Amino acid sequence: MLPDPSSIDQNIGAIRQLLQESLGNRRYQNWFGGTTKLELEGSELTIHVQGPYLVKWIQQQFGDELQRILLQVLGPAAEVRFEVGQEVRLSEIPEASAAEAQPVEAHSRTTAQPHVAKKRKRGGRPRPLSDFVTGPSNELAVAAIHQLVHEPDSVAMLYLHSNVGNGKSHLLEATRLLLRKEDPQLKILSLTAEQFTNYFTQALSAKTLPSFRQKFRSADVLLIDDVDFLDGKKGIQDEFLHTLKQFETENRQVVVTSNRHPRLLGRTSEELVSRFVSGLVFRLEKPETETRQEIVRRHATRQGTKFSEPVVEYIASRFLNNGRDLEGAVNILSTWGRMEKKTVTVSLAKRLLNRLERDCMKMIRIADIETAICTLFGIEEETLKSKTRKQSVSQPRMLAMYLSRTLTDAPYSEIGEYFGGRNHSTVMSAQRKVSEQLKLQETIRVASETWELKDLIDTLKDRIQAG
C-alpha cells in the first residue's frame, strides 16, 4: 500500500515546525530554510544539502536535536540520512554566534554523530596517504606534502597539477587528514574552486561579504581543488588573490590543485599566477608501469577481487594515461567476475575492456596543439603562423610542429601547410631539432620562467590530452 501523501506532508511540516521552535527562526532559516530539502520515506528522513561541509556542520550542531524531534514525530524506528546534490542551491555561509563558532572544514568525511545514520555513498571513504600509490611519477609531490605537514614554516604555498585522474584530489584529501592528525585543533578549510565561487557570488548578492571573508580568511590552512576553474573569472580571481595575500602575510598555508601548470592558466592575472609559482609547484606525471600495476592490485583488493599477475599486467599495459582509467577497468572486470562467479582471464579482460579502451582515447587535432602553445607562450595564432623568425616565435612554432607529429597522425605536408604554408622539410627539421634539444636536456625560457624542455613538453601534452 502506497503511503498517504498528506500524511507525509504533515510529518515533514511537523518536523520543520519543531526545528524552528527549537532553533529559533534565524538559525532555522539559515540551515533548514529554502536551501535545504526534506524528503520522507517511511521512517527515514532524507535531508538534501548542497555540500559535505553542510552535512558535517548540521550533524555536529543539530544531530541530537534532530534525533529527538524525529523520535517525537516518527517514533523509535526513525532514521536520518544526508544527500549531497546539485539540485539544492548553495546557502549563504551563515553568521555564527560565538557559541556556535567551530573550525571550518569543508568536504569532511568523518563519521556521523551518534544516532544520525550515515549515508552509504561512493567516494564517502576517507582517502589517506597510505592508500595512494607512490612511484617516480609522483614521489616529489608526496614528499612536498610531508614537508608541508611536518615542517610548516618551510612551505607556504603548494601547487599540484596534472592531467585528470592522476590523484590530485586524493592527495589534497590526504593532506587534510595528515594535518588533522598532526594538529587536531587546526582550522582547515577544504573545498573546490567552484564552491569558493558559489559562496562568494551568493555573499555578494546577499551583501554579506564581510561574513564571507571572515570565515574564509580565518582558517589556518586553505585547501582548494581545481583552481583552474577560476581561469577567466576576473572578479573571483581578485577575491581569491586577496585571500592568498592575507594567508601570506600571516604565514599560513595554502595548497591548490589544477589540471594545468600556473603558466598555462591563460586567463588568470599575472599577480595570481606569480603567487602560485612562488611556492612549490609539482606535476603528477602519468604513472609508470610498476605504479600502474600496483594501482590495479590495490583497487582490485578494495573491490574484493584478486586478479592473476598476467591480468594485472595486461590492464596496466593497456591504460597508460591515469589511475582513474585503471580503476574503471578493474571495476568492470570485478563486477563481471562477481556476477558470473567466474575467474577473469587475460582473453576475457581483452574482450570486456576493448570498448573502454577505445573510449579512453582522445582524438587530438593540430588546432588543439596550436591553442595550447599560444596560451603558454602568450602569442597570437596569426603570429605563430607568420613568416617571422624571431626566437620568441620560432621556438614555439618548432614545438607545435614537433607535438603535431607526436600526438597526431598528420603527415609532414599537412602540418607544414597548417603552420603558415611551410613545406614538409621545415617540419622534419623542427622535429629533429626538438628531439636533439631533449637529448641534451636543454632549457627554454617562457616569460620570466625557465623550464626544462622535457617538463615543458610533458606539461603541454597533459594539457592537450585533457582538452
Side-chain angles (χ1 to χ4, degrees):
M1 181 171 137
L2 294 174
D4 181 5
S6 62
S7 174
I8 293 174
D9 291 341
Q10 287 174 3
N11 285 336
I12 291 178
I15 292 168
R16 286 192 174 278
Q17 182 178 348
L18 290 171
L19 277 170
Q20 189 167 4
E21 291 173 357
S22 173
L23 305 179
N25 185 62
R26 183 169 170 274
R27 293 176 76 203
Y28 169 82
Q29 290 300 330
N30 278 339
W31 297 102
F32 297 96
T35 60
T36 303
K37 180 181 177 183
L38 304 184
E39 284 186 348
L40 188 61
E41 183 174 354
S43 58
E44 183 181 78
L45 178 71
T46 300
I47 302 177
H48 295 267
V49 297
Q50 178 62 36
Y53 157 67
L54 298 176
V55 173
K56 172 83 179 298
W57 186 279
I58 291 173
Q59 288 173 343
Q60 286 183 334
Q61 299 297 316
F62 313 121
D64 291 340
E65 190 61 14
L66 265 172
Q67 190 65 30
R68 183 190 68 77
I69 290 171
L70 291 186
L71 182 66
Q72 181 178 340
V73 176
L74 303 176
E79 289 185 322
V80 62
R81 70 183 183 94
F82 293 88
E83 184 88 37
V84 178
Q86 296 300 317
E87 73 277 9
V88 182
R89 180 174 56 88
L90 264 175
S91 66
E92 170 193 339
I93 299 180
E95 297 282 344
S97 66
E100 291 176 310
Q102 298 288 335
V104 180
E105 183 169 322
H107 281 309
S108 177
R109 301 173 187 269
T110 55
T111 306
Q113 292 289 316
H115 309 300
V116 181
K118 183 174 71 172
K119 182 185 184 307
R120 291 177 62 235
K121 67 184 183 73
R122 293 172 297 178
R125 183 179 60 85
R127 295 183 293 176
L129 196 57
S130 58
D131 277 3
F132 188 79
V133 181
T134 304
S137 57
N138 53 44
E139 59 189 359
L140 289 177
V142 173
I145 288 171
H146 281 294
Q147 186 177 348
L148 177 136
V149 172
H150 300 298
E151 301 175 40
D153 291 338
S154 67
V155 182
M157 164 68 73
L158 176 59
Y159 186 106
L160 304 178
H161 67 101
S162 79
N163 204 346
V164 296
N166 281 326
K168 300 185 300 292
S169 298
H170 187 159
L171 286 181
L172 200 68
E173 167 74 354
T175 302
R176 184 186 69 81
L177 294 172
L178 284 174
L179 287 165
R180 176 64 63 231
K181 182 178 180 181
E182 184 76 5
D183 184 355
Q185 301 306 313
L186 277 178
K187 295 180 180 179
I188 304 171
L189 181 60
S190 177
L191 70 166
T192 67
E194 182 176 6
Q195 288 173 319
F196 180 89
T197 300
N198 289 335
Y199 281 127
F200 171 74
T201 303
Q202 195 165 39
L204 188 65
S205 176
K207 299 181 180 179
T208 57
L209 282 178
S211 173
F212 167 88
R213 287 167 179 155
Q214 190 277 327
K215 292 178 187 299
F216 274 83
R217 299 180 188 182
S218 64
D220 298 309
V221 185
L222 179 64
L223 309 176
I224 299 288
D225 204 8
D226 298 325
V227 76
D228 47 287
F229 180 82
L230 303 182
D231 201 32
K233 299 176 176 64
K234 185 180 184 306
I236 312 297
Q237 287 178 29
D238 290 343
E239 181 66 30
F240 189 63
L241 176 62
H242 289 306
T243 300
L244 293 190
K245 285 180 177 179
Q246 183 160 336
F247 270 74
E248 183 180 293
T249 300
E250 298 176 4
N251 296 315
R252 289 177 284 146
Q253 294 173 297
V254 179
V255 183
V256 299
T257 72
S258 172
N259 67 4
R260 285 173 271 175
H261 187 280
R263 291 295 179 193
L264 284 173
L265 299 174
R267 296 183 297 161
T268 295
S269 72
E270 181 59 32
E271 190 173 3
L272 188 52
V273 169
S274 69
R275 275 183 160 72
F276 290 150
V277 299
S278 69
L280 297 179
V281 179
F282 289 104
R283 182 163 56 86
L284 281 67
E285 309 272 1
K286 296 176 184 178
E288 59 290 316
T289 301
E290 293 76 11
T291 302
R292 294 198 303 273
Q293 290 175 355
E294 184 59 22
I295 290 171
V296 171
R297 292 188 194 98
R298 289 201 194 180
H299 193 61
T301 299
R302 286 196 291 270
Q303 295 291 316
T305 304
K306 183 173 176 59
F307 294 140
S308 68
E309 278 305 298
V311 171
V312 170
E313 292 168 5
Y314 171 74
I315 298 171
S317 71
R318 302 311 301 169
F319 297 92
L320 310 180
N321 290 330
N322 59 65
R324 196 168 295 161
D325 292 346
L326 294 167
E327 292 183 357
V330 171
N331 288 341
I332 288 174
L333 299 179
S334 297
T335 300
W336 185 92
R338 285 194 299 269
M339 291 175 60
E340 299 295 328
K341 295 183 173 56
K342 293 181 180 178
T343 300
V344 175
T345 63
V346 173
S347 61
L348 180 68
K350 289 180 180 178
R351 179 168 61 85
L352 292 177
L353 298 179
N354 187 43
R355 180 173 180 179
L356 177 64
E357 185 178 1
R358 289 198 306 269
D359 291 344
C360 290
M361 296 174 64
K362 179 184 185 296
M363 295 299 295
I364 295 172
R365 304 169 303 155
I366 299 177
D368 299 326
I369 296 168
E370 176 187 39
T371 299
I373 291 285
C374 290
T375 299
L376 176 63
F377 286 91
I379 58 180
E380 298 294 329
E381 294 176 0
E382 293 79 7
T383 304
L384 189 68
K385 295 175 179 177
S386 70
K387 301 299 182 183
T388 180
R389 296 186 178 183
K390 291 181 180 178
Q391 177 75 10
S392 60
V393 179
S394 62
Q395 181 69 61
R397 187 189 297 131
M398 283 198 306
L399 285 174
M401 293 178 178
Y402 171 84
L403 289 171
S404 296
R405 279 296 295 171
T406 304
L407 300 178
T408 77
D409 294 327
Y412 291 113
S413 58
E414 182 182 339
I415 296 170
E417 181 64 30
Y418 188 92
F419 290 107
R422 290 168 166 83
N423 59 39
H424 72 282
S425 62
T426 302
V427 181
M428 294 174 68
S429 175
Q431 184 182 17
R432 184 177 62 256
K433 287 180 181 178
V434 174
S435 297
E436 290 172 355
Q437 291 171 345
L438 282 170
K439 288 178 182 178
L440 295 173
Q441 299 181 340
E442 292 189 5
T443 60
I444 185 171
R445 193 79 174 169
V446 181
S448 60
E449 189 176 359
T450 299
W451 293 59
E452 289 188 11
L453 183 59
K454 179 183 181 303
D455 287 345
L456 180 67
I457 288 176
D458 287 345
T459 297
L460 283 165
K461 284 180 178 179
D462 280 352
R463 178 62 192 137
I464 293 163
Q465 290 167 339

